[in-house]
Amino acid sequence: MNRAERLARRAELEHAIEQQRIDLLVAAHRWRTAEQTLDQSWQLLSRFKTPLLVAGGLLAYRGLRHPGGTARLARRLTTGALFAKKARDLLR
């Protein structure tokens, strides 16, 4: 391999490395934008962790004391959530 071939090969390799760096930067940006909503949701849950734990404890206590009422409440919550989702889809 003469000097000109080595220089050409080196230029090709440097170009390939530069392209890999650009691809890595683009992938990192996409990753950050994709995880941003998940991080915001997690922080929202972390902010309300104590009230959610208290509410969950109260619901568990109520469920142990009155199992039929808990099943009825679960059905109503599920129906309400499905209704809200359908309404939101219709409004879009």
Side-chain angles (χ1 to χ4, degrees), residues 5-52:
E5 291 173 346
R6 280 194 308 245
L7 288 175
R9 176 74 176 143
R10 181 178 177 173
E12 289 174 14
L13 291 174
E14 286 176 351
H15 181 268
I17 290 170
E18 186 64 30
Q19 187 61 43
Q20 289 173 355
R21 287 179 180 164
I22 291 170
D23 291 343
L24 187 60
L25 287 172
V26 169
H29 177 69
R30 286 181 183 161
W31 179 264
R32 280 193 301 272
T33 55
E35 75 177 356
Q36 189 174 18
T37 56
L38 185 63
D39 284 342
Q40 289 172 351
S41 301
W42 179 255
Q43 292 201 356
L44 180 69
L45 281 177
S46 295
R47 193 176 321 141
F48 297 115
K49 184 169 74 169
T50 303
L52 287 174

